[in-house]
Amino acid sequence: MFPKKLHRAVICNHDEPIVQTRAGKLRGLIVEETYIFRGIKYADANRFEMPRPVQPWEGVKEAIIFGPVCTEIQTGIAHDAYYVPHFYYPQDENCQYLNIWTQSVEPQAKKPVMLWIHGGGFSSGSSVELYAYDGEDLSKHGDVVVVSLNHRLNVLGFLDMSAYGDKYKYSANVGMADIVAALQWIRDNIAVFGGDPDNVTIMGQSGGGGKVAALLQIPSADGLYHRAVIQSGMTANGNNTMPADAQKLAALVLENLGISSENVDDIQKVPIYKLNRAAQKASADLAAGGTRVGWGPVYDNDFYKGNALSEAGFRPESINIPVMIGSNTGEFAGNATYSPYEAAVKDWTSEQRDKLYDSVFGSNKERALANFKKAYPCKDEAFAPLMDTMFRTGVTAYSRARTAAGSAPCYTYMFALDMPYLGGSLAWHNAEEAYMFHNAEYLEASYIPGVSEWLQDVMTDAWVAFAHTGDPNHTHMPLWHPVTGDRDATMIFDTKCEMRYDFDKEFIDDLLSAKKAGFSGLFGGRRFLGGGPRQQI
């Protein structure tokens, strides 16, 4: 995706590398023995309608450049573009494209397939947005087939037009239907790229992790994947977007566009910028009235059976899928871009630290700090107020509930490596991706000589082992146990890897209590802001 070395030999000839898919022939690249195919069209679709297979073609199509990414309602310049490097690409609503990295194009190779589903919530992002998403080294190191994809997002992927006729019955979930279509394409075609259609792992981070969790609740995806990885993508509240609220949003969008229900098909011809503006205004108007409707799958108990942590529960058809789920220590409070003392954490005075702890924990300070040191004996106490609770509580709730509901193993992890950025930062949102993609040495803000090379080997091997068998264990790390009914079991990825059990509950409870109390006086109103695409300056 992004050049990592200069003077690399690239082969792209008229006659190689060419593969024969069901719809026609594709020509890609060979880069240092890795076969790369970019911008493969896996589906077509009319606006707000379900995806359909691409039409066959004659001759050979080029698959050497990426396809367009989904149009965004608003593309902000992320303030985290240094420590989570971004790559922006042309946008188009005709965005159903995928990319493949593989070490073989022999159908008999039958290598595990690892499908990456990008983050950015359900409203932004793409398969090429982050430098860490480059699949070449993961494919090479793990000898696996890596696939990434673009799909419809925001108003294009999740506007509930179901009240306006059968044509739009599933419009509230066509963004997820695109991903199902990509999985169907993988089932039908991945063998010619050396992949095993009977061994597909779906994995994603943040919004991508949410999409993985959603796929487990979508009947039409059953049988198309065999393992699932949710990275910083699950919160504990388990909220669904309900049809009544989603349909209010759609009605307002039509009203803003001046389109009546009798002429609803006119929405197909509205220029995308007008559609986006109408959707943005509709969302804001609903929020002003007290109803917040985020872009994402809508619980219709048909295409999408709803969030497993809400009233929907886990589907018996997918409860036998092994799951790996985890989060990072800092997430959105991971890097101290807005340090209260404009100094590296290690340089804060004892007076400054006490002021911070009093401001956050109040009378519970001593207990909270004791519980923090018990949970994280090697971490600086200054990090205690900044530890993530949103995704950590989601990991715990999801893994416990899933373990109770079925027999498939659920493995949990925490990425706990302190980053060298700004004299020391917690692992921010997105930080683990470069390590499980085996790209850590290419991202300078989080690179630690010697440590990064070792840890990316350990983590990539764990993800690859999981893709092979549904068990992340390998010989270069401690034995990783799944969650059981009576205890949490968490693999800690840090300067050393360690298996911990029920290790942070007391501290997380302390921090949740502090957050409910409002973090009174924290930094005089300033906050620690962390990594994550689309955070505005």
Side-chain angles (χ1 to χ4, degrees):
M1 184 184 300
F2 307 100
K4 299 169 179 176
K5 302 175 185 174
L6 297 175
H7 313 302
R8 301 203 302 170
V10 177
I11 297 172
C12 184
N13 295 333
H14 290 292
D15 57 348
E16 67 168 334
I18 291 177
V19 296
Q20 175 71 58
T21 70
R22 288 197 177 185
K25 293 181 179 179
L26 293 169
R27 179 172 63 243
L29 306 165
I30 306 174
V31 181
E32 291 189 340
E33 300 182 354
T34 297
Y35 295 86
I36 302 175
F37 296 83
R38 303 175 179 133
I40 300 172
K41 200 75 166 70
Y42 65 83
D44 288 312
N46 296 332
R47 186 183 285 179
F48 303 128
E49 297 180 28
M50 292 290 276
R52 59 184 184 274
V54 295
Q55 290 297 307
W57 63 85
E58 299 292 332
V60 179
K61 274 191 174 183
E62 289 189 349
I64 61 176
I65 62 172
F66 297 112
V69 306
C70 185
T71 305
E72 297 179 349
I73 291 177
Q74 182 180 12
T75 300
I77 302 301
H79 79 259
D80 59 354
Y82 174 66
Y83 52 92
V84 185
H86 285 57
F87 180 73
Y88 297 100
Y89 204 72
Q91 300 178 2
D92 195 292
E93 64 180 288
N94 181 22
C95 62
Q96 294 91 352
Y97 291 90
L98 58 78
N99 316 297
I100 297 174
W101 295 262
T102 181
Q103 303 305 301
S104 174
V105 289
E106 297 298 329
Q108 65 272 20
K110 291 189 175 296
K111 300 178 186 295
V113 180
M114 302 178 75
L115 173 62
W116 179 253
I117 304 173
H118 68 78
F122 292 84
S123 61
S124 64
S126 78
S127 64
V128 298
E129 182 185 34
L130 301 187
Y131 284 38
Y133 293 172
D134 187 300
E136 181 182 346
D137 274 29
L138 174 57
S139 173
K140 190 184 306 180
H141 182 86
D143 195 18
V144 293
V145 179
V146 179
V147 185
S148 65
L149 61 86
N150 301 327
H151 65 99
R152 281 175 287 180
L153 302 164
N154 52 71
V155 65
L156 294 169
F158 301 101
L159 186 68
D160 190 349
M161 301 275 293
S162 59
Y164 303 98
D166 286 345
K167 178 190 293 187
Y168 304 116
K169 181 178 181 180
Y170 297 113
S171 65
N173 292 302
V174 294
M176 292 304 304
D178 284 352
I179 302 177
V180 175
L183 283 164
Q184 292 168 339
W185 188 96
I186 288 169
R187 176 197 61 198
D188 296 339
N189 295 282
I190 204 63
V192 300
F193 298 89
D196 183 355
D198 295 321
N199 188 1
V200 176
T201 296
I202 52 175
M203 56 185 192
Q205 185 270 349
S206 194
K211 295 164 196 174
V212 169
L215 285 168
L216 290 161
Q217 299 293 100
I218 294 176
S220 58
D222 289 348
L224 299 175
Y225 61 91
H226 310 90
R227 338 206 184 279
V229 182
I230 302 170
Q231 301 172 210
S232 302
M234 178 58 63
T235 59
N237 55 26
N239 289 336
N240 285 311
T241 299
M242 304 306 288
D245 289 337
Q247 288 170 14
K248 286 180 185 176
L249 179 63
L252 272 178
V253 170
L254 290 173
E255 181 181 323
N256 291 339
L257 292 170
I259 296 175
S260 67
S261 58
E262 293 77 15
N263 299 312
V264 68
D265 286 346
D266 288 352
I267 199 170
Q268 297 268 2
K269 299 174 286 188
V270 172
I272 188 63
Y273 75 92
K274 287 187 177 180
L275 176 64
N276 286 343
R277 188 165 59 193
Q280 191 173 35
K281 184 178 187 301
S283 294
D285 289 345
L286 279 179
T291 301
R292 294 187 177 276
V293 184
W295 301 116
V298 176
Y299 176 37
D300 61 1
N301 204 30
D302 180 6
F303 180 86
Y304 175 55
K305 295 296 185 176
N307 190 304
L309 292 184
S310 66
E311 67 278 3
F314 291 93
R315 296 175 55 246
E317 295 86 354
S318 61
I319 199 63
N320 63 331
I321 300 294
V323 168
M324 187 164 72
I325 181 170
S327 60
N328 301 346
T329 48
E331 298 291 356
F332 291 112
N335 96 79
T337 302
Y338 291 93
S339 164
Y341 305 123
E342 304 298 344
V345 166
K346 62 182 175 57
D347 296 327
W348 294 356
T349 67
S350 58
E351 291 79 12
Q352 289 172 324
R353 288 168 181 258
D354 284 340
K355 180 180 178 182
L356 171 61
Y357 305 144
D358 288 337
S359 177
V360 174
F361 297 114
S363 61
N364 293 328
K365 176 179 70 173
E366 297 301 328
R367 184 186 69 190
L369 292 178
N371 284 332
F372 176 78
K373 292 307 291 183
K374 174 183 169 185
Y376 300 98
C378 297
K379 298 291 180 198
D380 193 307
E381 286 182 348
F383 285 139
L386 310 176
M387 299 291 287
D388 167 70
T389 57
M390 178 170 67
F391 294 112
R392 178 59 183 155
T393 55
V395 168
T396 302
Y398 190 87
S399 60
R400 286 178 175 174
R402 188 169 179 84
T403 299
S407 58
C410 188
Y411 297 89
T412 71
Y413 73 86
M414 176 173 283
F415 184 69
L417 183 67
D418 290 349
M419 305 284 104
Y421 184 52
L422 294 178
S425 304
L426 288 171
W428 47 72
H429 200 58
N430 304 106
E432 89 290 354
E433 292 168 314
Y435 284 80
M436 45 75 53
F437 264 102
H438 210 261
N439 287 328
E441 70 266 38
Y442 304 118
L443 302 186
E444 58 191 46
S446 56
Y447 174 67
I448 305 171
V451 173
S452 292
E453 290 87 351
W454 165 78
L455 186 55
Q456 73 174 359
D457 282 352
V458 171
M459 290 181 63
T460 299
D461 286 347
W463 264 246
V464 168
F466 185 77
H468 272 277
T469 66
D471 184 335
N473 282 289
H474 59 85
T475 58
H476 300 111
M477 61 183 290
L479 186 63
W480 189 346
H481 293 115
V483 174
T484 62
D486 58 350
R487 67 177 182 178
D488 293 326
T490 305
M491 178 59 68
I492 306 295
F493 292 110
D494 203 337
T495 52
K496 70 174 183 177
C497 297
E498 184 180 7
M499 195 71 212
R500 301 285 302 278
Y501 304 93
D502 299 318
F503 74 101
D504 64 346
K505 182 182 184 307
E506 291 84 359
F507 171 70
I508 292 298
D509 288 345
D510 292 335
L511 192 51
L512 285 171
S513 296
K515 288 184 176 181
K516 287 178 183 177
F519 274 49
S520 66
L522 181 60
F523 314 150
R526 303 175 81 184
R527 293 293 186 269
F528 278 66
L529 302 180
R534 302 296 174 264
Q535 295 218 20
Q536 303 301 309
I537 295 174

